[in-house]
Every structure is written in structure tokens, then in C-alpha cells.
Amino acid sequence: MSTPTSTPTAATHENRPSLLVTSPNGRRRARISQLMTGVLLLTVLAALVPLAILLWQVISNGWGPFSWEFLTTVEPLSYRDTGGGYLAGIVGTLYMTGVAALISVPLGLAAAVYLNERPKGRYASVVRFFTDVMTGVPSVFVGLAVYALLVSGSGGLGLGFGTLAGAASLAIIMLPIVVRSSEEMLRLVPADLKQAAFGLGARQWQTTLKVTLPAAAPGLTTGVILAVARGAGETAPLILTALGAREVVLRLTGAPQADIGLLMLDGFRQPFEGGIQRAWAGGFTLILITLGLSIIARALARRSQI
Amino acid sequence: MDHRTAMARDLDHGQPPDGAPDEQAAQQHAPGTEPAHHAVHISIDQVSVRYGAFTAVRDVCFDVPRNAITALIGPSGCGKSTLLRTINRMNDLVPGATTTGAVTYNGEDIYAEGVDPVEVRRRIGMVFQKPNPFPKSIYDNVAFGPRLNGRKRDLDDLVEHSLRRAALWDEVKDKLAQSGLSLSGGQQQRLCIARAIAVDPDVILMDEPCSALDPIATLRIEELMKDMASEYTIVIVTHNMQQAARVSDLTAFFTVDMDNERQERTGVLVEIDDTDTIFTNASDPRTEAYITGRFG
């Protein structure tokens, strides 16, 4: 048995140095600690700088052309003209995001409930695998796939460009986010509560519907809103599905639908001041929408009781 | 006294169980000759529980008398909670758990084919170690079980009755709409008891119901249990021997059986008897060693 020099004995315990005397390498450890704190702070700042620049750009350029008129009128016929707004795009984005949420939220919640209640179920690993893969699929490819399946007449359903096709592509992008965040939230529901329900003679579906889902509701809402915010900000999958429009479109199919991102794309591509100004304001609007949704989501998450 | 006989199993429920031996037993004892609490309510016969290859508790046999408090005591890992959960088939919910042997309730095997575990749990309620009210109002907590069974109206009386029965009504009658989580630990546990009562079970299983409570809240629950024993059959698992001595009519002592060859620890029942006998004159030296604090 090795005997370190500092084996505690009654004698050494009586002759301890004052607390003010630092132990041998204490000073070095304190210095390293300070240094690492500084390094980590720098990395945090480095991560925040691009975000701050981006926000600053959009706000400083978009705040000027942003107005009530921008929110309530459609674009003038020519990109050269100033004035007008993105009403068509705002309606289209909200419309398609809404329809996409109607498709992806029930499906996503159902999948999450399945993964939570049957974590080792027959299809659980398959669902998890495809959910992970779908998270990584480039969004433009999602648009391409929906184009082939729904829009195109040759080999697809031939629905044509429009709200439904756009919403379908957004739904595919939102689905894995809904599934994964909901699964996490459902897992946080204490097993105690489910046991209590079973102990009272609840069936599996009654436990899920009346105990697990309500207990997880605030967290589920947060996840859903974040997924919706993500969908609302997508542009790439809409190029091949919604196509874009300059007038307000209320039809579900049969007419190309407008989108804020698509309008911005067009606006920035033209060398005319009017279109570029409106595109900045469009970016500002989009950030307002997604930021607003995120803030709501965070606020709800804070109210969560689990 | 031998509590293992099936003597008065069907005193209250008329239906003699299938099988000749039981019928004979029923005929030998004229109804009413035994004190009420000696009628067998639940009979545990050769019950073993395995989690995969691991045997948690082995070959347990004993009878639980009606309208009495039966305490299960023993050191950690002796399988007493596991055994308790076999009585209302809560072990069914644990993946990989298998229960063998028979648990008979009112003369019917609850593990028989065709028996719905949900129906078992509606008759045999459960109160858990940690108070676990739902994050709902006090009222909705108590009404939860009845609503599951499709009862939507006239819940007020049932809620009041259940809360009164659990000695909680006077403390919460003015704040039924408040969250069950706003109550103190002891009140939460009585709320859980009220919630269990509301489904109208006749057996209540309690898995260390006071281990998360302070002594005063514990005392209130113990008084409540004694009071409830006139109407309900209560089986309680407790780590606290004094609690078993204070509240129970019968005490079952479990211990851990070490299999050195297979490196396995299995819970076994050492003995069950009147609580007084167990605490003053136990027949097995292991029981006496545990009771007197020599191990465990």
C-alpha cells in the first residue's frame, strides 16, 4: 500500500495552514480557469457576430421601405416603380405554412406518440432513421421531389404549381422537426403520471390522450411553433412547387402561389431600386414572422410545468 | 393461526371458485363463523416474478384477509414492491417482466386468460411511493378515474365523498379548482388516495406511501389507513418497521436470498403472521434479526 506524504492523521489535521494560503498549484489552476472562461466568451461572441450583422443589415435596410402600404398592397407591375408591397407574398407564405402545419403537425405528433409509447416497437427504428435522414435532405431536393410527385403531369399527379404543392414541400421539411421535438417533450412526462393513470384503470390510449399529451402540451406547442417558423422561412422548396405569383392567390390548386422569399428572390435579381427596396422590406417581414413565432414558442416553453 | 387456508374465500361473493378442493373448503366452513377480517380476499399462490433472466421474487404464497391491513416489510431488493405490483397487474407494464403462479381475487385468478388487466386495476387500486397527482385541478384529479369509466355527470357528490373519505375535504373544499400540485406533500398523497377511492375499488395497494412525507403527514396517512380498513382491504409496502407495527393487522417479512453460485439476489417470503406475533415472537430467526435491527 502506498503511503502519500499527506496521509491524514490527527496530528496533521491540527496543523492545517490558514485558508488564505493557496495550495501548491492553486494559482496555476485559477489562471487556467480564467483563461478558458475568456476563450469560451470569445467563441460565443464569434458565433453571435454574424447573427448580429445579419439582423442589422435586414433591419437597417428593411425598416425604411417597410410600411403599412407594404403589408397591404401588391407589387406594382414594374420593378422600376417604388411603392407597393408584398401582400401577395405575405398571404401566400402564411397560407402555405398554415396548410403545411395542418398536414405535418397531426402526422408528426402521431409519430412522436408512437416512438414514445413503443420505443422498441417494430417500426420505431425505421421511423427514427427516416426522420433523421429527412432532417438532412437539402430543401431544394424536397421541392424537386414534390414537383415530380404532385406538380408534374408526367409521372406525378399533375396538380400543377400552387398552394397545395408548396404546402406539401413545407410539410415534408417541418415533419421531422415536429417528430423529434415532440418525442423529446413526451419523454419528459414523468413515468409516475402514466403509472398513476394505469393504476386507476386507464387504457393505453386513455393514458396517452388524457395524461401524457396534456402534461406535455406546452412543450409540444413550442416544438410545433419552432417547426412552423422554420417552414415559414423556407424558399428553396417553393421554387419548384409554388412557383410564385404577384397577385393574391386564394386557390388551393391550379394557380401558382406567391411567397415572401420568392418575391425577394425576384426583387433582388433585378437591377432596379424599387424592387430591391421591397425585397429588403420583405426580408424584414419574414424575420418579424419567424422571430415572433420563436418568441411565442420560448414564452410557452417557460410556462411548461414538467 | 394459519392464514393460508382458502376457508372463507367466497363468504361475501357467493360464487364458489372452480375446482373441487375449493368447493369442499367452502362447504366445511359455515358462513359467518369466522371474524370478518379473516375472510380471504386475495390469495397469492406460488408467485414468482422474473425480469428477463433475473428472478426478482420467488415462490411467494400467502393470503390477504378482507378489510384488514397487511404490511409487507423487508430489506431493499427483497421484492416486496414487485410482489405488490403483481396484485393489480402493474408488472404487466414493465417490458420483459413475467409473472408465474396465481393471484386469486374473490376466488378468481387475475392472471387467467380473458381477464383484462384494466378491469383488475379498477377493482384493486394503487397509491404510489411519491405523491403523483396529475397536473390538473384537485377536482379533475379525483374525477379522472370515474370519467375514464364514462361517468360524465353527478361527479360532484362522488368527488366530495372521495375527498371526505381521504380526510382531505375540509382542507380543499374551497379550492377544488386549484392545481393538485399546489398542495403539500401529505395533502397530495391524500389526494392520490381520494383519486384511487373514486374508482370504487375494494382493495388498495400502497407502495411506501409515506416514504416521501414528514412524520406529521405520515401520521395522518396512517390514521387514514386504519380508518379505511373497515371498508377496504389494504396491502402496504413499507420500509418503516414501526409503521408496519403501528398500522397493520398482518405482517409479511421478505428477505433477499443470495445465490452465490449464480450471483443472483432473489426476494423470498420468510413468514407472515399477525403483526403482534411477528414483532414479539417471530418464528424465523431471520425475521427476529431484522426486527431487532441486526441487519437491513
Side-chain angles (χ1 to χ4, degrees):
Chain A
M1 205 172 93
S2 66
T3 313
T5 49
S6 61
T7 306
T9 62
T12 55
H13 280 175
E14 274 169 23
N15 298 318
R16 283 273 165 99
S18 153
L19 284 174
L20 295 172
V21 180
T22 322
S23 57
N25 60 355
R27 230 166 262 259
R28 200 178 124 252
R29 292 200 325 233
R31 266 205 312 279
I32 292 178
S33 172
Q34 275 174 355
L35 185 72
M36 292 320 278
T37 310
V39 168
L40 289 176
L41 193 66
L42 277 179
T43 57
V44 169
L45 287 178
L48 283 177
V49 163
L51 184 68
I53 292 175
L54 192 145
L55 272 178
W56 171 247
Q57 284 280 322
V58 175
I59 293 170
S60 63
N61 287 305
W63 177 248
F66 185 78
S67 64
W68 183 247
E69 185 197 358
F70 179 80
L71 291 176
T72 51
T73 56
V74 296
E75 279 205 291
L77 283 176
S78 167
Y79 289 110
R80 292 166 198 270
D81 297 336
T82 53
Y86 272 14
L87 178 65
I90 294 167
V91 169
T93 296
L94 295 179
Y95 191 2
M96 285 188 290
T97 312
V99 174
L102 284 180
I103 301 170
S104 63
V105 172
L107 281 178
L109 280 180
V113 165
Y114 172 74
L115 290 178
N116 185 53
E117 300 295 343
R118 296 273 181 278
K120 295 200 167 79
R122 218 162 146 192
Y123 305 105
S125 57
V126 181
V127 173
R128 278 205 193 90
F129 176 74
F130 281 107
T131 315
D132 285 347
V133 170
M134 274 164 70
T135 319
V137 170
S139 55
V140 70
F141 178 77
V142 173
L144 193 62
V146 171
Y147 174 82
L149 285 171
L150 295 183
V151 179
S152 162
S154 56
L157 288 178
L159 294 177
F161 299 107
T163 315
L164 191 62
S169 64
L170 293 185
I172 292 173
I173 286 163
M174 286 156 63
L175 189 61
I177 308 173
V178 175
V179 174
R180 272 321 175 91
S181 71
S182 304
E183 192 197 352
E184 288 303 315
M185 290 303 151
L186 290 171
R187 194 168 296 152
L188 286 179
V189 176
D192 280 0
L193 288 184
K194 292 188 234 176
Q195 293 261 315
F198 283 122
L200 290 168
R203 296 191 183 277
Q204 170 86 64
W205 66 268
Q206 289 172 318
T207 306
T208 301
L209 218 59
K210 298 189 174 171
V211 173
T212 313
L213 283 173
L220 293 176
T221 318
T222 305
V224 164
I225 292 176
L226 288 177
V228 169
R230 169 78 203 282
E234 280 287 346
T235 304
L238 298 175
I239 298 172
L240 289 167
T241 53
L243 196 64
R246 309 192 68 179
E247 297 295 325
V248 174
V249 177
L250 295 175
R251 298 181 59 175
L252 201 55
T253 54
Q257 178 59 283
D259 170 73
I260 297 174
L262 291 178
L263 289 178
M264 284 169 62
L265 198 61
D266 290 341
F268 279 126
R269 274 174 172 170
Q270 309 295 329
F272 305 115
E273 194 53 28
I276 289 173
Q277 286 295 318
R278 283 190 295 274
W280 277 117
F284 183 71
T285 315
L286 209 48
I287 280 196
L288 278 188
I289 293 175
T290 52
L291 208 65
L293 286 172
S294 299
I295 289 170
I296 294 171
R298 302 278 172 221
L300 285 171
R302 211 164 294 135
R303 277 178 44 194
S304 167
Q305 290 229 328
I306 15 179
Chain B
M1 165 171 319
D2 185 4
H3 292 282
R4 301 192 186 188
T5 52
M7 49 191 181
R9 179 172 288 177
D10 45 6
L11 268 185
D12 295 272
H13 281 255
Q15 286 291 316
D18 295 336
D22 284 340
E23 273 175 45
Q24 276 174 4
Q27 282 157 7
Q28 278 164 10
H29 296 271
T33 54
E34 294 287 332
H37 78 271
H38 290 143
V40 174
H41 202 177
I42 291 167
S43 174
I44 289 157
D45 188 18
Q46 291 282 313
V47 167
S48 302
V49 182
R50 289 180 194 83
Y51 297 116
F54 166 72
T55 305
V57 59
R58 188 176 59 218
D59 290 342
V60 175
C61 296
F62 68 93
D63 286 350
V64 175
R66 183 181 292 278
N67 293 1
I69 302 179
T70 304
L72 314 183
I73 63 169
S76 296
C78 69
K80 53 196 190 297
S81 284
T82 301
L83 185 87
L84 188 78
R85 282 155 183 265
T86 62
I87 302 179
N88 68 345
R89 294 191 62 168
M90 286 296 279
N91 276 342
D92 290 20
L93 301 170
V94 182
T98 48
T99 307
T100 52
V103 178
T104 317
Y105 160 85
N106 287 338
E108 286 184 293
D109 183 0
I110 66 166
Y111 284 91
E113 210 168 311
V115 172
D116 185 349
V118 166
E119 200 50 54
V120 172
R121 293 179 203 133
R122 285 175 187 172
R123 315 267 186 99
I124 304 176
M126 186 147 196
V127 175
F128 297 82
Q129 182 169 2
K130 208 177 125 226
N132 54 359
F134 298 124
K136 300 173 188 282
S137 73
I138 293 169
Y139 187 100
D140 288 341
N141 261 283
V142 182
F144 185 87
R147 280 177 181 152
L148 287 180
N149 300 333
R151 185 164 168 175
K152 303 270 185 252
R153 291 153 182 233
D154 307 323
L155 283 165
D156 293 3
D157 286 348
L158 180 60
V159 168
E160 180 178 342
H161 171 262
S162 306
L163 285 168
R164 277 190 194 284
R165 200 72 196 78
L168 188 60
W169 175 253
D170 290 333
E171 289 157 68
V172 301
K173 63 184 173 196
D174 298 323
K175 48 178 184 180
L176 292 175
Q178 277 184 28
S179 168
L181 297 169
S182 68
L183 300 173
S184 73
Q187 290 173 324
Q188 287 189 14
Q189 195 62 302
R190 276 179 281 145
L191 177 61
C192 293
I193 293 175
R195 184 176 67 182
I197 289 172
V199 199
D200 196 25
D202 52 3
V203 180
I204 297 178
L205 309 176
M206 298 190 174
D207 189 359
E208 299 188 39
C210 301
S211 65
L213 305 182
D214 66 63
I216 296 187
T218 300
L219 192 68
R220 294 210 60 172
I221 304 266
E222 288 178 2
E223 282 169 358
L224 175 61
M225 276 191 270
K226 284 194 252 182
D227 186 42
M228 286 166 62
S230 60
E231 256 179 275
Y232 302 94
T233 299
I234 296 175
V235 185
I236 175 180
V237 162
T238 177
H239 257 115
N240 181 335
M241 279 183 285
Q242 284 73 34
Q243 181 167 63
R246 281 192 299 262
V247 301
S248 70
D249 302 299
L250 286 180
T251 298
F253 174 63
F254 288 74
T255 194
V256 183
D257 193 20
M258 276 291 288
D259 185 336
N260 287 324
E261 255 176 59
R262 296 173 56 193
Q263 289 288 305
E264 238 188 39
R265 298 159 61 87
T266 303
V268 288
L269 173 66
V270 176
E271 62 177 316
I272 176 166
D273 215 324
D274 287 335
T275 297
D276 288 344
T277 313
I278 288 279
F279 278 88
T280 55
N281 193 16
S283 45
D284 194 295
R286 288 173 293 176
T287 312
E288 207 198 329
Y290 183 73
I291 301 285
T292 52
R294 261 178 275 153
F295 86 99

